Amino acid sequence: MGEITLGQYYPTNSILHRLDPRVKFLGTLVYIVALFLVRGPVGYAVCAAALISMIVLSKVPFRYVLKSLKPVVLIMAVTMLFNLLLTPGEVLWRFWIFKITEEGIRMAAKMGIRLVFLVSGSSIMTLTTTPNALTDAMERLFGFLKIIHVPVHEIAMMMSIALRFIPILTEETDKIKKAQIARGADFETGGFVKRMRAMIPLLVPLFVSAFRRANDLAMAMEARCYHGGAGRTQMKPLRYRKADYIAWAVVAAFLAVCICLSVTGW
Amino acid sequence: MLIEIQDLCYTYGEGTVYEVMALDHVNLKIGEGEFIGVIGHTGSGKSTLIQHLNGLIKPTSGRILFEGKDIWEEGYDRRSLRTHVGLVFQYPENQLFETDVLTDVMFGPKNEGLTKEECEQRAKMALRQVGISEDLYKVSPFELSGGQKRRVAVAGVLAMDPEVLILDEPTAGLDPGGRNELLNQIKYLRDKRGITVILVSHSMEDMAVYANRLIVVHEGKIAYDDTPRNVFTHHRELEKMGLSAPQITYVMHDLKARGLEVDTRALTVNEAARSILMALSLRKSMKTAEAQEKQD
């Protein structure tokens, strides 16, 4: 129960939530590729339709999807500005050393739409998939890298442990902070140096407890005979069900349509 | 009234999917010198409640008055409030950070703006009160044993010389010797210095021995607020809340159900023993009287 909800998972029960995370992960990749494939208005309309139907299917309130756009607004603005000013073509307005071209406007609009679609599309994935399910999916999808001795399982395990520790450490930070405030500590006033010094009573206990927790966890894992990925099975292995096959078909169809549209330039 | 809580509500994660109402229209009055026990099931809202008392959490609605003043009023000095209302968190040893024990305990008084000498004096007094001997003053707090760390952490709050001392499960994870020592120390402080103590605990036995007022929190509301003796008469209702009365209460109820005229309101083992002995001798004398009657 922290202020920071991990990732941005929105707990509810929808078709998208129940879908196999591998489908969602690769589906999102396909969607992003498609976004950069399509060129004409029909192509954008198809992508928009795909995005809107995904949002509706996910049962996630629209404002949560909008919220995910907030951190990238600045990047979007800069990208659009550069596209607007630096695309060569038929000049419409000239102002000092800047000139705005018709192609520039078109490019900026396209870029803006692409970025909005891209970010909201991938946030649909993170809104409907728990971080753990996602790591699980990645472990399976990148499993082939084991052949060239990439420790896929270990990397996935480290990722899920790190993810699991974020809320724990957030809570711990909150607790220690409160405890020190209760002892009269002041984290809010003073200059930079004073504030940095004020962090010591927070950071020292936090590090001590992080190390202690890491030790405890390592011990607990060893006590359960954990020794890496070799020969390890899962309690709930990812299995494709009917809905997942249908989803694969939909994704494939979507990709095919987008390739056609890209070739024709519609 | 020292502390007054009026119509306090608190909601976690307001406006999100994870919204939980932790406190639901709580009203409380806490007087000077009381020894109050607070019990409740995990997640009942008791920890949230006590964190309101020194202004660590801002209520969603309702007011908290300390010595008659609203602590969330504009311009109220909540930092100085925290020196009046000392709060010892659960597992307080996790907040130790200094290089040695004495400096760590001095952190609180230092934040009050006292001189170094005063801080040291306060710290040494607090350490004496919790029974940490002088040869440990210069030791790193991380080298101490669990029980010692706990006591140093409690001293860290005591050194601020609070009028109200709130402890959130101070005995969790301590061995029986350590817990009795700590609780006796707290009781001694309350008796000697007249401070108000609010103790959150899961142990009904501790509550029976130390508290003179027991507040039962259930689902964000105050279910009972009475002397431990009276609260424990509701042992059936307590069980429904996932709590229980002291074991001795059950023994006494069983004995009474089997026909021994004992006082079911006995709080401690000693009280119970006395009551049982009395009931037994009463039964014995009644039997001898009966026997004599028959003889006559």
Side-chain angles (χ1 to χ4, degrees):
Chain A
M1 234 187 303
E3 289 140 44
I4 298 171
T5 44
L6 182 55
Q8 38 174 352
Y9 182 64
Y10 181 88
T12 178
N13 192 13
S14 75
I15 304 171
L16 279 194
H17 280 79
R18 288 190 301 266
L19 222 51
D20 191 291
R22 283 172 293 180
V23 184
K24 282 189 267 187
F25 184 73
L26 286 185
T28 309
L29 277 185
V30 165
Y31 169 77
I32 291 169
V33 170
L35 271 183
F36 286 91
L37 273 180
V38 296
R39 289 179 289 169
V42 183
Y44 282 106
V46 169
C47 288
L51 178 64
I52 290 164
S53 49
M54 284 307 121
I55 294 175
V56 172
L57 278 179
S58 70
K59 288 190 193 164
V60 176
F62 191 61
R63 63 192 164 94
Y64 279 85
V65 183
L66 279 186
K67 237 200 270 178
S68 63
L69 288 175
K70 224 161 70 189
V72 286
V73 163
L74 188 71
I75 301 171
M76 249 154 58
V78 172
T79 319
M80 282 173 74
L81 193 73
F82 274 90
N83 271 301
L84 191 65
L85 298 178
L86 300 177
T87 316
E90 202 175 309
V91 179
L92 292 180
W93 291 294
R94 202 183 283 275
F95 173 73
W96 192 32
I97 54 164
F98 302 113
K99 50 183 192 289
I100 293 174
T101 62
E102 200 188 314
E103 284 79 0
I105 294 174
R106 205 170 288 156
M107 201 62 185
K110 264 189 195 173
M111 250 349 198
I113 293 172
R114 266 184 192 159
L115 281 171
V116 169
F117 279 16
L118 187 142
V119 175
S120 37
S122 39
S123 73
I124 281 292
M125 177 182 72
T126 47
L127 280 164
T128 59
T129 320
T130 59
N132 272 328
L134 214 53
T135 8
D136 233 20
M138 304 237 235
E139 184 181 346
R140 289 288 288 275
L141 287 172
F142 294 114
F144 67 90
L145 289 175
K146 275 180 203 154
I147 302 165
I148 52 165
H149 297 289
V150 177
V152 178
H153 167 81
E154 279 72 14
I155 292 171
M157 181 58 100
M158 281 197 290
M159 261 172 75
S160 27
I161 290 173
L163 285 170
R164 184 65 195 86
F165 265 60
I166 292 171
I168 292 177
L169 289 181
T170 316
E171 202 176 306
E172 187 90 12
T173 314
D174 189 50
K175 241 191 252 166
I176 298 168
K177 196 172 173 186
K178 275 183 180 164
Q180 305 297 23
I181 291 176
R183 290 168 78 188
D186 180 9
F187 294 108
E188 265 118 39
T189 59
F192 180 74
V193 178
K194 190 171 168 255
R195 278 193 199 206
M196 285 297 117
R197 282 184 69 93
M199 292 305 276
I200 297 173
L202 180 60
L203 290 179
V204 173
L206 192 62
F207 272 100
V208 170
S209 101
F211 280 116
R212 198 194 60 234
R213 276 177 200 281
N215 262 329
D216 288 354
L217 181 69
M219 188 85 86
M221 284 167 82
E222 271 192 68
R224 291 172 176 79
C225 300
Y226 178 81
H227 52 77
R232 193 176 156 79
T233 55
Q234 277 179 309
M235 186 170 153
K236 291 178 188 159
L238 292 173
R239 269 200 202 99
Y240 286 126
R241 273 165 309 185
K242 208 173 140 199
D244 300 311
Y245 290 116
I246 295 169
W248 273 130
V250 172
V251 169
F254 173 71
L255 184 63
V257 169
C258 288
I259 289 173
C260 291
L261 288 171
S262 169
V263 172
T264 54
W266 280 348
Chain B
M1 270 305 123
L2 194 58
I3 300 177
E4 212 177 323
I5 296 177
Q6 298 174 342
D7 235 14
L8 173 67
C9 293
Y10 185 76
T11 313
Y12 273 108
E14 214 182 3
T16 69
V17 229
Y18 304 96
E19 194 174 289
V20 183
M21 192 156 190
L23 293 174
D24 187 0
H25 298 278
V26 171
N27 284 289
L28 257 187
K29 279 181 184 171
I30 295 163
E32 230 161 286
E34 285 193 274
F35 197 124
I36 299 177
V38 179
I39 54 169
H41 200 253
T42 315
S44 61
K46 53 191 191 319
S47 289
T48 313
L49 176 66
I50 57 165
Q51 286 179 39
H52 275 94
L53 296 178
N54 70 345
L56 281 178
I57 300 182
K58 189 173 181 185
T60 309
S61 71
R63 300 204 303 163
I64 296 141
L65 308 180
F66 180 73
E67 290 175 333
K69 283 198 199 94
D70 188 339
I71 66 167
W72 286 100
E73 218 171 58
E74 190 102 359
Y76 190 91
D77 186 4
R78 276 183 296 279
R79 265 188 85 193
S80 87
L81 166 73
R82 286 168 194 140
T83 65
H84 299 297
V85 183
L87 175 58
V88 180
F89 273 84
Q90 230 168 345
Y91 299 103
E93 57 273 25
N94 291 346
Q95 73 202 39
L96 301 172
F97 68 98
E98 275 290 3
T99 43
D100 64 72
V101 167
L102 190 65
T103 329
D104 199 285
V105 177
M106 280 164 63
F107 181 67
K110 221 165 25 192
N111 287 328
E112 274 183 68
L114 301 178
T115 64
K116 198 165 178 261
E117 287 71 38
E118 281 176 304
C119 290
E120 224 175 279
Q121 215 182 337
R122 288 266 199 98
K124 281 180 178 163
M125 197 172 81
L127 283 167
R128 258 199 305 278
Q129 283 169 343
V130 296
I132 293 287
S133 61
E134 227 160 288
D135 51 305
L136 292 174
Y137 286 3
K138 289 291 158 204
V139 174
S140 160
F142 300 106
E143 284 166 24
L144 301 177
S145 74
Q148 287 172 327
K149 274 189 200 167
R150 180 78 51 98
R151 279 183 283 163
V152 169
V154 173
V157 173
L158 279 179
M160 299 196 300
D161 205 9
E163 286 127 64
V164 183
L165 182 63
I166 309 170
L167 303 113
D168 193 353
E169 291 187 48
T171 55
L174 287 188
D175 57 60
R179 64 188 279 156
N180 286 342
E181 207 179 316
L182 186 62
L183 289 173
N184 283 332
Q185 207 71 50
I186 291 162
K187 188 175 157 51
Y188 172 78
L189 282 174
R190 181 220 162 213
D191 294 345
K192 197 172 167 228
R193 280 171 45 184
I195 59 174
T196 308
V197 176
I198 301 172
L199 178 70
V200 177
S201 171
H202 274 303
S203 161
M204 296 298 164
E205 274 73 17
D206 289 348
M207 291 302 185
V209 177
Y210 295 100
N212 52 28
R213 177 177 165 194
L214 189 54
I215 295 171
V216 182
V217 188
H218 183 57
E219 289 176 352
K221 291 190 179 87
I222 291 185
Y224 297 105
D225 180 1
D226 209 332
T227 60
R229 205 181 288 278
N230 287 339
V231 171
F232 292 145
T233 58
H234 303 282
H235 63 284
R236 296 262 175 266
E237 287 85 354
L238 287 176
E239 272 167 33
K240 274 181 208 144
M241 298 176 192
L243 302 166
S244 62
Q247 291 184 338
I248 204 70
T249 310
Y250 294 98
V251 174
M252 298 306 260
H253 275 283
D254 273 4
L255 284 175
K256 188 152 191 179
R258 291 174 192 207
L260 191 66
E261 275 309 309
V262 291
D263 180 11
T264 53
R265 288 152 52 86
L267 273 179
T268 60
V269 176
N270 281 336
E271 266 182 49
R274 237 176 289 136
S275 167
I276 293 169
L277 285 175
M278 239 163 69
L280 283 176
S281 64
L282 197 71
R283 186 194 258 184
K284 209 172 170 184
S285 58
M286 266 164 64
K287 269 189 185 156
T288 43
E290 261 174 47
Q292 225 146 41
E293 256 174 50
K294 269 186 197 163
Q295 265 185 3
D296 294 340

